[in-house]
Amino acid sequence: MLGGRLLHGGDYNPEQWLECPEVLEEDIRLMKEAGVNCVTLGVFSWSVLEPEEGVYNFDWLEERIDRLGEEDIQVVLATPSGAMPHWLTQKYPEVRQVFADGKRNLPGKRHNFCYTSPVMREKITALDRALSERFGRKENVILWHISNELGGNFGDSTCHCELCQEAFREWLKKKYGTLDNLNHAWWGRFWSHVYTDWSQIHSPAPHGECGMTGLALDWKRFSTEQISDFCTMEIEAVRTYSELPVTANFMDFFKGLDYQRMERDFDIISWDSYPFWHEKQDEVKPAVRAAANHSLMRALKKQPFLLMESTPSQVSWRDYNPLKRPGMHMLSSIQAVSHGSDSVQYFQWRKGRGSFEKFHGAVVDHLNGANTRTFHEVAEVGERLPGLTELLDKTINRPKAAVIFDWENWWAVEDTQGPRLDLDYVECVLSHYQAFWEAGIEADFIGMDADLDGYKLVSAPLNYMYKEGYAEKVRRFVESGGFYVTTYFSGVVDETDLCFTGHHPLEDVLGIMPEEIDAPSEEFANSFSYQGKEYPAMRICAVVHPKEGTEVLSVYDKDFYAGAPMVTRNGYGGGQAFFIAAESDISFLRAFYNDMFQSAGLKNALGIELPYGVTVTVRTPQGDCAGQNDKSLQMSGHCPAGSIVFVMNFRHEPVELTRIGEWTDAETKEKVSGILKLEKLSCRILTAGLPQR
Ligand code: GLA
Ligand code: ZN
């Protein structure tokens, strides 16, 4: 566990208050009161750290780090590349990003620098090295934090300047070797777009090439590589005088950057979580999305991660920004921990007085110091976490199920023309995952490159692209006893968006031959019956033929493809492969996956059916094997020794679970036998068996 404890704190920006020593001193006092043990410094501090080119002003930072150290508060130290000072953008305009439309940014905002620019690279490296020298070995500095939300400039993470174009061409040369290879991969003869010179290649642009999907895919891959290269440079710089681990704060399903590729640049994964709580009375949707994100971040390294930012009350960037209702702050914080986070951190410690984020929730508000509801709820988290530290140290969630979520597939499936333009990969994956969440069956979110060994069930919705080697991996997985679920519009193209020809790559395993794909209007929507109940088949309906031996579990009711398979099962080797031909709704997915869990022998930790809005997660000791192969984990319904079970109620009313067996409340040490009561918006943490006498 980093720093030896569950971290609690958040972004701290004392540079906005340097003229107010009484505020800075009050910060320390309030941090102690709120149970804060870690803060992140320096995220956007460039203009204060280097007020003039080459002139460093670090004394204020050292004073803060030392003062925090005196109070046993640890520090995550960020590099300030997330926002550029005006002297830099004025003297060196080339550091400013160029948009896809060819326009260069004016100075201002943040996350808008060119990742290729030698000047930007030189200036930030020099500053990072100086930070490393001065702070890299301080006792209470525990982690480097590279930049901020990399690539987070309103969806387009990249710069389209000439330097970046040139770097892109070089990257393509390395990847393809010859223009012939590239023209083939991108299907260049279509619309006569054959490249005859590397210099003709330009990034995708609204007023230029925006229809060549192979080019668009490679541009996104290149952008990830370029940002990764920039990070590696910053990492090397901060490591000049320091051996501390390194992280970068990732975002909620951020399409611009392939985190499954970026993961390897960092020692620890961290991310910023801002679910849209209280959009509706029913909190299941945001709870599912947050759980999915946490599971994705954990699965990147199969290690505990850090919740780097969250709001203690409300954000300021949605059209309307509900306050977290009483209880939600504790619940959402523990939710992160329950999925493998070793921290609860906020943006930010104290609300600034001016500019863009002055109304974004913070632990300390403009008025009333510690005397606010938000502060009290934060302090409650600060009080609860230390009691969990020992319990959770060296533990992690080790699901037996996985959901394929792959960035390159995401880019490809949403970029392609037809059969529908409104395909939403994240929404689709989340709808499948919701069935897992509701049943309390945990799942890792893994890319196509990940190992499938040790999982019992793998679900791959809307898995349009098959990366090299993927089909073979799935084949082996099913052959050796795995359950594999996939859907319509899967296994259609290879890594450069070229359609497979002849046969579906997993035709033998799935036992189906896809023929057509209908994208019907609402009036032409279809239906089907599954286990005696009728469900809708809508939006995208694949027409497939079963192969000999394939069991058809359900067929379409209507239209010219009435009677064609809607759900199929095929035994292959020791395992089974399922195919869902059309999009349906959550009630179908619930019914389908519940059958799946049963056949695959997967049960939640309590071994009971959970009421709607309640879910369960388990952290178990990491041990040596840290894999899912651990035999003890295959015990159904109950957990291996040392498991910590989180039971969470996301409903706005109390619930009572019955027939849950014998447990101990990990915090109160009270016996929990048969019945578990949960307050509204709350979490209880249990360990197996009755209390030890
Ligand atoms: C992001 C950023 C922070 C802040 C918050 C506000 O996570 O990293 O600097 O802007 O959003 O929600
Ligand atoms: Zn550039």
Side-chain angles (χ1 to χ4, degrees):
M1 202 175 263
L2 181 71
R5 43 196 174 185
L6 289 171
L7 304 178
H8 183 230
D11 279 22
Y12 178 35
N13 299 102
E15 69 274 27
Q16 294 170 20
W17 301 92
L18 291 179
E19 292 74 21
C20 316
E22 69 292 352
V23 172
L24 297 183
E25 203 35 45
E26 189 191 40
D27 282 337
I28 304 288
R29 183 173 61 76
L30 295 181
M31 281 177 193
K32 296 307 284 179
E33 230 178 289
V36 163
N37 59 23
C38 179
V39 296
T40 304
L41 284 163
V43 179
F44 297 113
S45 311
W46 197 340
S47 70
V48 183
L49 290 170
E50 189 180 5
E52 285 173 55
E53 185 171 2
V55 178
Y56 297 140
N57 167 34
F58 292 176
D59 290 349
W60 65 274
L61 184 56
E62 179 138 52
E63 184 281 329
R64 278 293 86 185
I65 293 177
D66 289 344
R67 183 70 192 92
L68 291 159
E70 282 165 22
E71 301 293 338
D72 194 26
I73 298 174
Q74 292 168 318
V75 170
V76 175
L77 190 54
T79 67
S81 53
M84 298 177 285
H86 282 305
W87 61 256
L88 178 72
T89 52
Q90 183 177 43
K91 182 162 175 199
Y92 307 103
E94 69 267 37
V95 300
R96 301 184 332 230
Q97 213 172 64
V98 171
F99 280 125
D101 65 3
K103 253 189 163 160
R104 193 177 289 281
N105 278 324
L106 290 174
K109 294 203 303 189
R110 58 175 177 173
H111 303 148
N112 53 5
F113 59 90
C114 170
Y115 287 90
T116 309
S117 158
V119 177
M120 176 68 185
R121 286 174 171 238
E122 181 198 316
K123 297 296 162 199
I124 195 66
T125 303
L127 179 52
D128 287 351
R129 279 206 193 113
L131 289 169
S132 170
E133 184 166 19
R134 182 93 170 244
F135 304 111
R137 293 203 205 95
K138 277 210 171 272
E139 215 181 317
N140 62 322
V141 177
I142 56 169
L143 177 68
W144 290 106
H145 175 301
I146 301 298
S147 202
N148 189 68
E149 298 196 332
L150 294 157
N153 189 12
F154 300 107
D156 188 355
S157 8
T158 54
C159 171
H160 298 251
C161 79
E162 244 336 288
L163 291 169
C164 289
Q165 302 290 349
E166 215 22 69
F168 180 43
R169 290 172 199 132
E170 289 306 314
W171 183 85
L172 290 170
K173 274 184 207 165
K174 268 200 208 125
K175 175 166 181 178
Y176 291 106
T178 68
L179 279 173
D180 277 351
N181 292 341
L182 175 141
N183 284 319
H184 171 72
W186 293 357
W187 210 244
R189 286 183 210 150
F190 178 75
W191 285 349
S192 232
H193 289 177
V194 173
Y195 293 96
T196 54
D197 193 286
W198 294 96
S199 64
Q200 294 158 356
I201 300 172
H202 195 281
S203 58
H207 58 314
E209 183 61 272
C210 53
M212 200 176 220
T213 51
L215 162 71
L217 266 173
D218 275 333
W219 173 251
K220 292 191 176 83
R221 290 180 180 122
F222 160 76
S223 301
T224 291
E225 289 306 329
Q226 202 64 355
I227 292 179
S228 160
D229 188 62
F230 186 90
C231 277
T232 309
M233 176 204 72
E234 281 212 75
I235 293 168
E236 273 169 21
V238 294
R239 285 258 173 80
T240 318
Y241 303 96
S242 167
E243 283 169 3
L244 291 175
V246 180
T247 193
N249 53 339
F250 289 168
M251 289 174 270
D252 174 316
F253 288 113
F254 178 64
K255 195 175 173 186
L257 208 53
D258 181 350
Y259 289 157
Q260 280 152 348
R261 158 63 191 84
M262 291 292 290
E263 160 277 308
R264 69 178 99 118
D265 296 339
F266 304 101
D267 303 300
I268 295 176
I269 300 299
S270 66
W271 84 284
D272 302 343
S273 174
Y274 295 98
F276 198 172
W277 303 118
H278 316 311
E279 185 188 16
K280 305 221 165 81
Q281 289 282 341
D282 181 342
E283 309 285 357
V284 166
K285 276 252 150 31
V288 164
R289 188 180 177 106
N293 261 302
H294 292 313
S295 304
L296 171 64
M297 296 297 158
R298 181 193 63 237
L300 288 177
K301 280 195 185 296
K302 303 235 170 121
Q303 289 290 337
F305 60 94
L306 298 176
L307 175 63
M308 188 56 84
E309 290 180 25
S310 61
T311 177
S313 63
Q314 70 196 140
V315 300
S316 58
W317 40 263
R318 290 198 173 96
D319 286 350
Y320 62 98
N321 301 292
L323 291 166
K324 277 179 164 173
R325 269 44 192 169
M328 186 49 101
H329 180 58
M330 176 66 81
L331 176 58
S332 59
S333 299
I334 299 296
Q335 182 193 25
V337 173
S338 86
H339 284 278
S341 175
D342 278 353
S343 72
V344 176
Q345 305 268 101
Y346 312 118
F347 178 85
Q348 60 177 332
W349 165 251
R350 179 187 283 277
K351 272 186 187 170
R353 289 189 63 192
S355 205
F356 194 65
E357 298 199 290
K358 60 182 176 299
F359 296 127
H360 192 286
V363 180
V364 182
D365 212 326
H366 296 134
L367 308 175
N368 306 324
N371 201 11
T372 64
R373 183 181 67 92
T374 297
F375 189 93
H376 291 308
E377 294 201 25
V378 166
E380 279 169 21
V381 174
E383 231 174 87
R384 192 171 185 184
L385 292 179
L388 298 174
T389 302
E390 206 183 316
L391 193 67
L392 295 177
D393 194 21
K394 301 197 182 61
T395 65
I396 184 124
N397 313 58
R398 291 190 280 168
K400 300 290 295 168
V403 173
I404 300 289
F405 182 84
D406 189 284
W407 258 262
E408 298 187 36
N409 181 62
W410 187 5
W411 295 334
V413 75
E414 290 185 4
D415 207 25
T416 200
Q417 293 290 301
R420 299 190 72 92
L421 296 190
D422 60 354
L423 288 175
D424 187 328
Y425 181 50
V426 173
E427 280 308 311
C428 172
V429 169
L430 289 182
S431 67
H432 284 249
Y433 174 64
Q434 182 169 335
F436 289 70
W437 186 93
E438 288 184 9
I441 305 293
E442 287 189 77
D444 278 337
F445 275 62
I446 56 172
M448 274 183 264
D449 299 316
D451 213 345
L452 303 181
D453 291 349
Y455 294 115
K456 186 68 195 164
L457 168 65
V458 173
S459 170
L462 205 53
N463 194 182
Y464 165 72
M465 173 194 283
Y466 278 5
K467 287 185 181 170
E468 180 121 24
Y470 178 69
E472 195 35 51
K473 183 158 52 182
V474 172
R475 186 170 287 114
R476 278 199 311 270
F477 169 73
V478 180
E479 210 163 41
S480 51
F483 279 65
Y484 184 73
V485 179
T486 192
T487 70
Y488 52 87
F489 214 37
S490 291
V492 183
V493 298
D494 70 8
E495 282 173 83
T496 66
D497 203 38
L498 293 182
C499 293
F500 294 117
T501 54
H503 293 273
H504 186 288
L506 281 178
E507 188 181 294
D508 52 338
V509 179
L510 300 173
I512 49 136
M513 291 184 297
E515 188 179 328
E516 297 182 285
I517 293 202
D518 191 18
S521 68
E522 275 177 33
E523 284 190 22
F524 277 79
N526 216 311
S527 61
F528 63 98
S529 293
Y530 176 80
Q531 312 286 29
K533 256 197 89 185
E534 192 182 303
Y535 300 99
M538 51 196 184
R539 291 176 33 85
I540 180 159
C541 303
V543 184
V544 307
H545 305 281
K547 295 188 53 146
E548 213 189 302
T550 303
E551 195 178 343
V552 177
L553 302 178
S554 168
V555 296
Y556 289 107
D557 288 337
K558 296 189 267 210
D559 219 322
F560 72 94
Y561 46 92
M566 166 59 205
V567 185
T568 62
R569 168 171 59 199
N570 188 42
Y572 186 84
Q576 302 185 32
F578 295 79
F579 182 78
I580 301 172
E583 190 174 316
S584 188
D585 61 10
I586 182 66
S587 57
F588 163 67
L589 291 172
R590 212 175 265 147
F592 172 79
Y593 279 106
N594 280 336
D595 289 346
M596 208 60 26
F597 300 145
Q598 213 170 18
S599 322
L602 299 176
K603 282 189 186 172
N604 66 47
L606 299 179
I608 59 162
E609 201 178 307
L610 299 168
Y612 183 75
V614 173
T615 196
V616 183
T617 65
V618 185
R619 284 179 68 153
T620 55
Q622 270 175 293
D624 330 314
C625 56
Q628 292 81 9
N629 287 325
D630 187 347
K631 281 273 180 302
S632 59
L633 280 177
Q634 288 169 14
M635 293 161 57
S636 52
H638 296 280
C639 335
S643 293
I644 300 110
V645 178
F646 297 78
V647 191
M648 291 167 274
N649 176 20
F650 285 87
R651 291 160 72 123
H652 287 273
E653 67 203 7
V655 293
E656 196 175 284
L657 309 185
T658 51
R659 282 193 269 169
I660 65 158
E662 312 272 276
W663 301 84
T664 301
D665 185 307
E667 294 168 289
T668 64
K669 309 288 178 232
E670 277 162 17
K671 159 176 159 179
V672 178
S673 185
I675 295 176
L676 182 71
K677 292 189 176 144
L678 287 156
E679 294 302 323
K680 66 175 185 178
L681 302 181
S682 75
C683 173
R684 290 192 62 183
I685 305 171
L686 308 176
T687 51
L690 290 175
Q692 306 286 327
R693 295 218 171 249

